[in-house]
Coordinates of all heavy atoms in Angstrom, one line a residue:
M79 N 109.3 72.1 105.5 CA 109.1 73.4 105.9 C 109.8 74.4 104.9 O 110.9 74.1 104.6 CB 109.6 73.7 107.3 CG 109.4 75.1 107.8 SD 109.8 75.3 109.5 CE 108.7 76.5 110.0
P80 N 109.1 75.4 104.5 CA 109.7 76.3 103.4 C 110.8 77.1 104.0 O 110.9 77.4 105.2 CB 108.5 77.2 103.0 CG 107.6 77.2 104.2 CD 107.7 75.8 104.8
L81 N 111.7 77.5 103.1 CA 112.8 78.4 103.5 C 112.2 79.8 103.8 O 111.4 80.3 103.1 CB 113.7 78.5 102.3 CG 114.8 79.6 102.3 CD1 115.9 79.2 103.3 CD2 115.4 79.8 100.9
R82 N 112.6 80.3 105.0 CA 112.1 81.6 105.3 C 113.3 82.5 105.5 O 114.2 82.3 106.3 CB 111.3 81.6 106.6 CG 110.7 82.9 106.9 CD 110.0 83.1 108.2 NE 109.3 81.9 108.7 CZ 108.7 81.8 109.9 NH1 108.7 82.9 110.7 NH2 108.1 80.7 110.3
A83 N 113.4 83.6 104.7 CA 114.5 84.5 104.8 C 113.9 85.9 105.1 O 113.4 86.5 104.2 CB 115.2 84.5 103.5
P84 N 114.1 86.4 106.3 CA 113.6 87.7 106.7 C 114.2 88.9 105.8 O 115.4 88.9 105.6 CB 114.0 87.9 108.1 CG 114.5 86.6 108.6 CD 114.8 85.8 107.4
H85 N 113.3 89.7 105.2 CA 113.7 90.9 104.5 C 114.8 90.6 103.4 O 115.7 91.3 103.2 CB 114.2 91.9 105.4 CG 113.3 92.2 106.6 ND1 112.1 92.7 106.4 CD2 113.5 91.9 107.9 CE1 111.5 92.8 107.6 NE2 112.3 92.3 108.5
L86 N 114.6 89.4 102.7 CA 115.6 89.1 101.6 C 115.3 89.9 100.4 O 114.2 89.9 99.9 CB 115.4 87.6 101.3 CG 116.4 87.1 100.3 CD1 117.8 87.0 101.0 CD2 116.0 85.7 99.9
P87 N 116.3 90.7 99.9 CA 116.1 91.5 98.7 C 116.1 90.6 97.5 O 116.5 89.4 97.6 CB 117.3 92.4 98.8 CG 118.3 91.7 99.5 CD 117.6 90.8 100.5
T88 N 115.8 91.1 96.4 CA 115.9 90.4 95.1 C 117.4 90.2 94.9 O 118.2 91.1 95.0 CB 115.3 91.3 93.9 OG1 114.0 91.5 94.2 CG2 115.5 90.6 92.6
D89 N 117.8 88.9 94.6 CA 119.2 88.5 94.4 C 119.3 87.9 93.1 O 119.3 86.7 93.0 CB 119.6 87.6 95.6 CG 121.1 87.2 95.5 OD1 121.7 87.7 94.6 OD2 121.5 86.5 96.3
T90 N 119.4 88.7 92.0 CA 119.4 88.2 90.7 C 120.7 87.4 90.4 O 120.8 86.6 89.6 CB 119.2 89.3 89.6 OG1 120.2 90.3 89.9 CG2 117.8 89.8 89.7
A91 N 121.8 87.8 91.2 CA 123.1 87.1 91.0 C 122.9 85.6 91.3 O 123.5 84.7 90.7 CB 124.2 87.7 91.8
A92 N 122.2 85.3 92.4 CA 121.9 83.9 92.8 C 120.7 83.3 92.0 O 120.4 82.2 92.3 CB 121.7 83.9 94.3
G93 N 120.1 84.1 91.2 CA 118.9 83.6 90.4 C 117.6 83.6 91.2 O 116.7 83.0 90.8
V94 N 117.6 84.2 92.4 CA 116.4 84.2 93.2 C 115.8 85.6 93.2 O 116.5 86.6 93.3 CB 116.7 83.8 94.7 CG1 115.5 83.9 95.5 CG2 117.3 82.4 94.7
L95 N 114.5 85.7 92.9 CA 113.8 87.0 92.9 C 112.4 86.7 93.4 O 111.9 85.6 93.7 CB 113.7 87.5 91.5 CG 112.9 86.8 90.4 CD1 112.5 87.8 89.4 CD2 113.8 85.7 89.8
S96 N 111.7 87.8 93.7 CA 110.3 87.7 94.2 C 109.3 87.5 93.0 O 109.5 88.1 92.0 CB 109.9 88.9 95.0 OG 109.7 90.0 94.2
L97 N 108.3 86.7 93.2 CA 107.3 86.4 92.2 C 106.6 87.7 91.8 O 106.2 87.9 90.6 CB 106.3 85.4 92.7 CG 105.2 85.0 91.8 CD1 105.8 84.4 90.5 CD2 104.3 84.0 92.5
G98 N 106.4 88.6 92.7 CA 105.8 89.9 92.4 C 106.5 90.8 91.4 O 105.9 91.6 90.8
R99 N 107.7 90.5 91.1 CA 108.5 91.3 90.1 C 108.6 90.6 88.8 O 109.2 91.1 87.9 CB 109.9 91.5 90.7 CG 109.9 92.3 91.9 CD 111.2 92.6 92.5 NE 111.0 93.3 93.8 CZ 112.0 94.0 94.3 NH1 113.2 94.1 93.8 NH2 111.8 94.6 95.5
C100 N 108.0 89.5 88.6 CA 108.0 88.7 87.4 C 107.0 89.2 86.4 O 105.9 89.8 86.8 CB 107.8 87.2 87.6 SG 109.1 86.5 88.7
A101 N 107.2 89.0 85.1 CA 106.3 89.4 84.1 C 105.4 88.2 83.6 O 105.8 87.1 83.8 CB 107.0 90.0 82.9
K102 N 104.3 88.6 82.9 CA 103.5 87.5 82.3 C 104.3 86.6 81.4 O 105.2 87.1 80.7 CB 102.4 88.2 81.5 CG 101.4 87.2 80.9 CD 100.4 88.0 80.1 CE 99.5 87.0 79.4 NZ 98.5 87.8 78.6
G103 N 104.1 85.3 81.6 CA 104.8 84.3 80.8 C 106.0 83.7 81.5 O 106.5 82.7 81.1
W104 N 106.4 84.4 82.6 CA 107.6 83.9 83.4 C 107.2 82.5 84.0 O 106.1 82.3 84.5 CB 108.0 84.9 84.5 CG 109.2 84.5 85.2 CD1 110.5 84.9 84.9 CD2 109.3 83.7 86.4 NE1 111.3 84.3 85.8 CE2 110.6 83.6 86.7 CE3 108.3 83.0 87.1 CZ2 111.1 82.8 87.8 CZ3 108.7 82.2 88.2 CH2 110.1 82.2 88.5
S105 N 108.2 81.6 84.1 CA 108.0 80.3 84.8 C 109.2 79.9 85.6 O 110.3 80.3 85.2 CB 107.5 79.2 83.9 OG 108.6 78.9 83.0
G106 N 109.0 79.2 86.6 CA 110.2 78.7 87.4 C 109.7 77.9 88.6 O 108.7 77.2 88.5
W107 N 110.5 78.0 89.7 CA 110.2 77.1 90.9 C 110.2 78.0 92.1 O 110.9 79.0 92.3 CB 111.4 76.1 91.0 CG 111.6 75.3 89.8 CD1 112.4 75.6 88.8 CD2 110.8 74.2 89.4 NE1 112.3 74.7 87.8 CE2 111.3 73.8 88.1 CE3 109.8 73.4 90.0 CZ2 110.9 72.7 87.5 CZ3 109.3 72.3 89.3 CH2 109.9 71.9 88.1
V108 N 109.4 77.6 93.1 CA 109.3 78.3 94.4 C 110.6 77.9 95.2 O 110.9 76.7 95.3 CB 108.1 77.9 95.2 CG1 108.1 78.5 96.6 CG2 106.8 78.4 94.5
R109 N 111.3 78.8 95.7 CA 112.5 78.6 96.5 C 112.3 78.8 98.0 O 113.0 78.4 98.8 CB 113.7 79.4 96.0 CG 114.1 79.1 94.6 CD 114.6 77.7 94.6 NE 114.9 77.3 93.2 CZ 114.7 76.1 92.7 NH1 114.1 75.1 93.5 NH2 115.0 75.8 91.5
G110 N 111.2 79.5 98.3 CA 110.9 79.8 99.7 C 110.0 81.0 99.9 O 109.5 81.5 98.9
L111 N 109.9 81.5 101.1 CA 109.1 82.6 101.4 C 109.9 83.6 102.2 O 110.7 83.2 103.0 CB 107.8 82.3 102.3 CG 106.9 81.2 101.6 CD1 105.8 80.9 102.6 CD2 106.3 81.7 100.3
A112 N 109.7 84.9 101.9 CA 110.5 86.0 102.5 C 109.6 86.8 103.3 O 108.6 87.3 102.8 CB 111.3 86.8 101.5
E113 N 109.9 87.1 104.6 CA 109.1 88.0 105.4 C 109.4 89.4 104.9 O 110.6 89.8 104.9 CB 109.5 87.8 106.9 CG 108.6 88.5 107.8 CD 108.9 88.1 109.3 OE1 109.5 87.1 109.5 OE2 108.5 88.9 110.1
T114 N 108.4 90.2 104.6 CA 108.6 91.5 104.1 C 107.8 92.5 105.1 O 106.8 92.1 105.7 CB 108.0 91.7 102.7 OG1 106.6 91.5 102.7 CG2 108.7 90.8 101.7
P115 N 108.3 93.7 105.2 CA 107.7 94.7 106.1 C 106.4 95.3 105.6 O 105.7 95.9 106.4 CB 108.8 95.7 106.3 CG 109.6 95.7 105.0 CD 109.5 94.2 104.6
D116 N 106.1 95.1 104.3 CA 104.9 95.7 103.7 C 103.6 95.0 103.8 O 102.7 95.3 103.1 CB 105.2 96.1 102.3 CG 106.4 96.9 102.1 OD1 106.8 97.7 103.1 OD2 107.1 96.9 101.1
L117 N 103.5 93.9 104.6 CA 102.4 93.1 104.7 C 101.2 93.8 105.3 O 101.4 94.5 106.3 CB 102.7 91.8 105.4 CG 103.7 90.9 104.8 CD1 104.0 89.7 105.7 CD2 103.2 90.4 103.4
T118 N 100.0 93.5 104.8 CA 98.8 94.1 105.4 C 98.2 93.2 106.5 O 97.3 93.6 107.2 CB 97.7 94.4 104.3 OG1 97.4 93.1 103.7 CG2 98.2 95.4 103.3
I119 N 98.7 92.0 106.6 CA 98.3 91.0 107.6 C 99.6 90.5 108.3 O 100.7 90.8 107.8 CB 97.5 89.9 107.1 CG1 98.3 89.1 106.0 CG2 96.2 90.4 106.5 CD1 97.6 87.8 105.5
S120 N 99.5 89.8 109.3 CA 100.7 89.3 110.0 C 101.4 88.3 109.1 O 100.9 87.7 108.3 CB 100.3 88.6 111.3 OG 99.7 87.3 111.1
W121 N 102.7 88.2 109.4 CA 103.6 87.3 108.6 C 103.1 85.9 108.7 O 103.0 85.2 107.7 CB 105.0 87.4 109.1 CG 105.8 86.2 108.7 CD1 106.3 85.2 109.5 CD2 106.2 85.8 107.4 NE1 107.0 84.3 108.8 CE2 106.9 84.6 107.5 CE3 106.0 86.3 106.1 CZ2 107.4 83.9 106.4 CZ3 106.5 85.6 105.0 CH2 107.2 84.5 105.1
H122 N 102.7 85.4 109.9 CA 102.3 84.1 110.1 C 101.0 83.8 109.3 O 100.8 82.7 108.7 CB 102.1 83.7 111.6 CG 103.4 83.8 112.3 ND1 104.4 82.9 112.1 CD2 103.8 84.7 113.2 CE1 105.4 83.2 112.9 NE2 105.1 84.3 113.6
E123 N 100.1 84.7 109.3 CA 98.9 84.6 108.5 C 99.2 84.5 107.0 O 98.6 83.7 106.3 CB 97.9 85.7 108.8 CG 96.6 85.6 108.0 CD 95.7 84.4 108.3 OE1 95.9 83.7 109.4 OE2 94.8 84.1 107.5
M124 N 100.0 85.4 106.5 CA 100.4 85.4 105.1 C 101.1 84.0 104.7 O 100.8 83.4 103.7 CB 101.3 86.5 104.8 CG 101.8 86.5 103.3 SD 100.5 86.6 102.1 CE 100.0 88.3 102.3
E125 N 102.0 83.6 105.6 CA 102.7 82.3 105.3 C 101.7 81.2 105.3 O 101.7 80.3 104.4 CB 103.7 82.1 106.5 CG 104.5 80.8 106.3 CD 105.4 80.5 107.5 OE1 105.1 80.8 108.6 OE2 106.5 80.0 107.2
R126 N 100.7 81.1 106.2 CA 99.7 80.1 106.2 C 98.9 80.1 104.9 O 98.7 79.1 104.3 CB 98.8 80.3 107.4 CG 97.7 79.2 107.6 CD 96.7 79.5 108.6 NE 95.9 80.6 108.3 CZ 94.9 80.6 107.4 NH1 94.6 79.5 106.8 NH2 94.2 81.7 107.2
R127 N 98.5 81.3 104.5 CA 97.7 81.4 103.3 C 98.4 80.9 102.1 O 97.9 80.2 101.2 CB 97.2 82.8 103.1 CG 96.2 83.3 104.1 CD 95.8 84.7 103.8 NE 94.8 85.2 104.8 CZ 94.3 86.4 104.8 NH1 94.5 87.2 103.8 NH2 93.4 86.7 105.7
L128 N 99.7 81.3 101.9 CA 100.5 81.0 100.8 C 100.7 79.4 100.7 O 100.6 78.8 99.7 CB 101.8 81.7 100.7 CG 101.6 83.2 100.4 CD1 102.9 84.0 100.6 CD2 101.1 83.4 99.0
L129 N 101.0 78.9 101.9 CA 101.2 77.4 102.0 C 100.0 76.7 101.6 O 100.0 75.7 100.9 CB 101.7 77.0 103.3 CG 103.1 77.5 103.7 CD1 103.4 77.2 105.2 CD2 104.2 76.9 102.8
E130 N 98.8 77.1 102.0 CA 97.6 76.5 101.7 C 97.3 76.6 100.2 O 96.6 75.7 99.7 CB 96.4 77.1 102.5 CG 96.4 76.7 104.0 CD 95.3 77.3 104.7 OE1 94.6 78.2 104.2 OE2 95.1 77.0 105.9
M131 N 97.7 77.6 99.6 CA 97.5 77.8 98.1 C 98.5 76.9 97.3 O 98.4 76.8 96.1 CB 97.6 79.2 97.7 CG 96.4 80.1 98.1 SD 96.5 81.7 97.4 CE 97.2 82.6 98.8
G132 N 99.5 76.4 98.0 CA 100.5 75.5 97.3 C 101.8 76.1 97.0 O 102.7 75.5 96.3
F133 N 102.1 77.3 97.6 CA 103.4 77.9 97.4 C 104.4 77.3 98.3 O 104.8 77.9 99.3 CB 103.3 79.4 97.6 CG 102.6 80.1 96.5 CD1 101.2 80.4 96.6 CD2 103.2 80.4 95.3 CE1 100.6 81.1 95.6 CE2 102.6 81.1 94.2 CZ 101.2 81.4 94.4
V134 N 104.8 76.1 98.1 CA 105.8 75.4 98.9 C 107.1 75.2 98.1 O 107.1 75.2 96.9 CB 105.2 74.0 99.3 CG1 104.0 74.1 100.2 CG2 104.9 73.1 98.1
E135 N 108.2 75.1 98.8 CA 109.5 75.0 98.2 C 109.5 73.8 97.2 O 109.0 72.7 97.4 CB 110.5 74.7 99.2 CG 111.9 74.9 98.7 CD 113.0 74.9 99.8 OE1 112.6 74.9 101.0 OE2 114.2 74.8 99.5
G136 N 109.9 74.1 95.9 CA 110.0 73.1 94.9 C 108.8 73.1 93.9 O 108.8 72.4 92.9
A137 N 107.7 73.8 94.3 CA 106.5 73.9 93.4 C 106.8 74.6 92.1 O 107.5 75.6 92.1 CB 105.3 74.5 94.2
R138 N 106.3 74.2 91.0 CA 106.4 74.8 89.8 C 105.4 76.0 89.7 O 104.3 75.8 90.0 CB 106.2 73.8 88.6 CG 106.3 74.4 87.3 CD 107.2 73.6 86.4 NE 107.2 74.1 85.0 CZ 108.1 75.0 84.6 NH1 109.0 75.4 85.4 NH2 108.0 75.4 83.3
V139 N 105.9 77.1 89.2 CA 105.0 78.3 89.1 C 105.1 78.9 87.7 O 106.2 78.9 87.1 CB 105.3 79.4 90.2 CG1 104.9 78.9 91.6 CG2 106.8 79.8 90.2
E140 N 104.0 79.5 87.3 CA 104.0 80.2 86.0 C 103.1 81.4 86.1 O 101.9 81.2 86.6 CB 103.6 79.3 84.8 CG 103.6 80.0 83.5 CD 103.1 79.1 82.4 OE1 102.8 77.9 82.6 OE2 103.0 79.6 81.3
L141 N 103.5 82.6 85.7 CA 102.7 83.7 85.8 C 101.8 83.8 84.5 O 102.4 83.9 83.4 CB 103.5 85.0 85.9 CG 102.8 86.2 86.6 CD1 103.8 87.0 87.3 CD2 102.1 87.0 85.6
M142 N 100.5 83.5 84.7 CA 99.6 83.4 83.5 C 99.0 84.6 83.0 O 98.7 84.8 81.8 CB 98.5 82.4 83.9 CG 99.0 81.1 84.5 SD 99.8 80.1 83.3 CE 98.4 79.7 82.2
H143 N 98.7 85.6 83.9 CA 97.9 86.8 83.5 C 98.3 87.9 84.5 O 98.6 87.7 85.7 CB 96.4 86.5 83.6 CG 95.6 87.6 83.3 ND1 95.4 88.0 82.0 CD2 94.9 88.4 84.1 CE1 94.5 89.1 82.0 NE2 94.2 89.3 83.2
E144 N 98.2 89.1 83.9 CA 98.4 90.4 84.7 C 97.1 91.2 84.6 O 96.5 91.3 83.5 CB 99.6 91.2 84.2 CG 100.9 90.5 84.3 CD 102.0 91.2 83.7 OE1 101.8 91.9 82.7 OE2 103.1 91.1 84.3
G145 N 96.7 91.9 85.6 CA 95.6 92.8 85.5 C 95.9 94.0 84.7 O 97.0 94.3 84.5
P146 N 94.8 94.6 84.1 CA 95.0 95.7 83.2 C 95.5 97.0 83.8 O 96.1 97.8 83.2 CB 93.6 95.9 82.6 CG 92.7 95.4 83.6 CD 93.4 94.3 84.3
I147 N 95.2 97.2 85.1 CA 95.6 98.4 85.8 C 96.8 98.2 86.7 O 96.6 97.4 87.7 CB 94.4 99.0 86.5 CG1 93.3 99.3 85.6 CG2 94.8 100.3 87.3 CD1 92.0 99.8 86.2
G148 N 97.9 98.7 86.4 CA 99.1 98.5 87.3 C 99.6 97.1 87.3 O 100.2 96.7 88.3
R149 N 99.2 96.2 86.3 CA 99.6 94.8 86.3 C 99.2 94.0 87.5 O 99.8 93.1 87.9 CB 101.1 94.7 86.0 CG 101.6 95.3 84.8 CD 103.1 95.2 84.7 NE 103.7 94.3 85.6 CZ 104.9 94.2 85.9 NH1 105.8 94.8 85.2 NH2 105.4 93.3 86.8
D150 N 98.1 94.5 88.2 CA 97.6 93.9 89.4 C 96.2 93.6 89.3 O 95.4 94.4 88.8 CB 97.9 94.8 90.5 CG 98.3 94.2 91.8 OD1 98.4 92.9 91.9 OD2 98.4 94.9 92.8
P151 N 95.6 92.5 89.8 CA 96.3 91.3 90.4 C 97.0 90.4 89.3 O 96.8 90.7 88.1 CB 95.2 90.6 91.1 CG 94.0 90.8 90.2 CD 94.2 92.2 89.7
I152 N 97.6 89.4 89.7 CA 98.2 88.4 88.8 C 97.6 87.0 89.0 O 97.1 86.7 90.1 CB 99.7 88.3 89.0 CG1 100.1 87.9 90.4 CG2 100.4 89.6 88.6 CD1 101.6 87.6 90.6
A153 N 97.5 86.3 87.9 CA 97.1 84.9 88.0 C 98.3 84.0 87.9 O 99.1 84.2 86.9 CB 96.1 84.6 86.9
V154 N 98.5 83.1 88.8 CA 99.7 82.2 88.9 C 99.3 80.8 88.9 O 98.4 80.4 89.7 CB 100.5 82.6 90.1 CG1 101.8 81.7 90.2 CG2 100.9 84.0 90.2
R155 N 99.8 80.0 88.0 CA 99.6 78.5 88.1 C 100.7 78.0 89.0 O 101.9 78.2 88.9 CB 99.8 77.9 86.7 CG 99.7 76.4 86.9 CD 99.2 75.7 85.7 NE 97.8 76.1 85.5 CZ 97.3 76.1 84.3 NH1 98.0 75.7 83.2 NH2 96.0 76.4 84.1
V156 N 100.2 77.3 90.1 CA 101.1 76.6 91.0 C 100.9 75.1 90.9 O 99.8 74.7 91.3 CB 100.8 77.1 92.5 CG1 101.8 76.5 93.5 CG2 100.8 78.6 92.6
D157 N 101.8 74.4 90.4 CA 101.7 73.0 90.0 C 100.4 72.9 89.2 O 100.4 73.3 88.1 CB 101.7 72.1 91.3 CG 103.1 72.0 91.8 OD1 104.1 72.1 91.1 OD2 103.2 71.7 93.0
D158 N 99.3 72.3 89.7 CA 98.1 72.0 89.0 C 96.9 73.0 89.2 O 95.8 72.7 88.7 CB 97.6 70.6 89.2 CG 98.7 69.6 88.8 OD1 99.4 69.8 87.9 OD2 98.7 68.5 89.4
I159 N 97.1 74.0 90.0 CA 96.0 75.0 90.2 C 96.4 76.4 89.8 O 97.6 76.7 89.7 CB 95.6 75.0 91.7 CG1 96.7 75.5 92.6 CG2 95.2 73.6 92.2 CD1 96.3 75.8 94.0
T160 N 95.4 77.2 89.6 CA 95.7 78.6 89.3 C 95.0 79.5 90.4 O 93.9 79.3 90.8 CB 95.0 79.0 87.9 OG1 95.6 78.1 86.9 CG2 95.3 80.4 87.6
V161 N 95.8 80.4 90.9 CA 95.4 81.3 92.0 C 95.6 82.7 91.6 O 96.5 83.0 90.7 CB 96.1 81.0 93.3 CG1 95.7 79.6 93.8 CG2 97.6 81.2 93.2
A162 N 94.9 83.7 92.1 CA 95.0 85.1 91.9 C 95.7 85.7 93.2 O 95.3 85.3 94.3 CB 93.7 85.8 91.6
L163 N 96.6 86.6 92.9 CA 97.3 87.2 94.0 C 97.6 88.7 93.7 O 97.7 89.0 92.5 CB 98.7 86.6 94.2 CG 98.9 85.3 94.8 CD1 100.4 84.9 94.7 CD2 98.5 85.2 96.2
R164 N 97.6 89.5 94.7 CA 98.1 90.9 94.6 C 99.6 90.8 94.4 O 100.2 89.9 95.0 CB 97.7 91.8 95.8 CG 96.2 91.9 95.9 CD 95.9 92.8 97.1 NE 96.6 92.2 98.3 CZ 96.9 93.0 99.4 NH1 96.6 94.2 99.4 NH2 97.5 92.4 100.4
R165 N 100.2 91.7 93.7 CA 101.6 91.7 93.5 C 102.3 91.9 94.9 O 103.4 91.3 95.1 CB 102.1 92.8 92.6 CG 101.9 92.3 91.1 CD 102.8 93.1 90.2 NE 102.4 92.6 88.8 CZ 103.1 91.7 88.2 NH1 104.1 91.1 88.7 NH2 102.8 91.3 86.9
A166 N 101.8 92.7 95.8 CA 102.4 92.9 97.1 C 102.5 91.6 97.8 O 103.4 91.3 98.5 CB 101.6 93.9 97.9
D167 N 101.4 90.7 97.7 CA 101.5 89.4 98.4 C 102.4 88.5 97.7 O 103.1 87.7 98.3 CB 100.1 88.8 98.4 CG 99.1 89.6 99.3 OD1 99.6 90.4 100.1 OD2 97.9 89.5 99.1
A168 N 102.5 88.6 96.3 CA 103.4 87.7 95.6 C 104.9 88.1 95.8 O 105.8 87.2 95.6 CB 103.1 87.9 94.1
D169 N 105.2 89.3 96.4 CA 106.5 89.7 96.7 C 107.1 88.8 97.8 O 108.3 88.6 98.0 CB 106.6 91.1 97.2 CG 106.6 92.1 96.0 OD1 107.0 91.7 94.9 OD2 106.3 93.3 96.2
V170 N 106.3 88.1 98.6 CA 106.7 87.2 99.6 C 107.3 85.9 99.1 O 108.1 85.3 99.7 CB 105.5 86.9 100.6 CG1 105.8 85.9 101.6 CG2 105.0 88.2 101.3
V171 N 106.8 85.5 97.9 CA 107.2 84.2 97.3 C 108.5 84.4 96.6 O 108.6 85.2 95.6 CB 106.1 83.7 96.3 CG1 106.6 82.4 95.8 CG2 104.8 83.6 97.1
L172 N 109.6 83.7 97.0 CA 110.9 83.7 96.3 C 110.9 82.6 95.3 O 110.6 81.4 95.6 CB 112.0 83.5 97.4 CG 112.0 84.5 98.5 CD1 113.1 84.2 99.5 CD2 112.3 85.9 97.9
V173 N 111.4 82.9 94.1 CA 111.4 82.0 93.0 C 112.7 82.1 92.2 O 113.5 83.0 92.4 CB 110.2 82.3 92.0 CG1 108.9 82.1 92.6 CG2 110.3 83.7 91.5
S174 N 112.9 81.0 91.5 CA 114.1 81.0 90.5 C 113.5 80.5 89.2 O 112.6 79.7 89.1 CB 115.2 80.2 91.0 OG 114.8 78.8 91.1
A175 N 114.1 81.0 88.1 CA 113.7 80.7 86.8 C 113.9 79.3 86.4 O 114.9 78.7 86.8 CB 114.4 81.7 85.8
A176 N 113.0 78.8 85.5 CA 113.1 77.5 84.9 C 114.3 77.5 83.9 O 114.5 78.5 83.3 CB 111.9 77.0 84.3
E177 N 115.0 76.4 83.9 CA 116.2 76.4 82.9 C 115.9 75.7 81.7 O 115.0 74.9 81.6 CB 117.4 75.8 83.6 CG 117.8 76.6 84.8 CD 118.9 76.0 85.6 OE1 119.5 75.0 85.1 OE2 119.2 76.5 86.7

């Protein structure tokens, strides 16, 4: 089961940040999912969708592409697949950088 941290802010001191704040070319690992108040759907539905796409704790992620307007949407490689996400939805995914 993924780590769920309600309303967890970006914590760069611990090396954990939201995927939605990363730039093109960034790569790292999924550390968990954070419940955020800005969701357009219920938390449980968002969690289900992200898990189905492969955003599970320990999955390797790489931000492959950013949209031309407002850097949205983004294309993210999750292990062996590539998915498109809005940055607002990507804010739910907590990641840490590859070393």
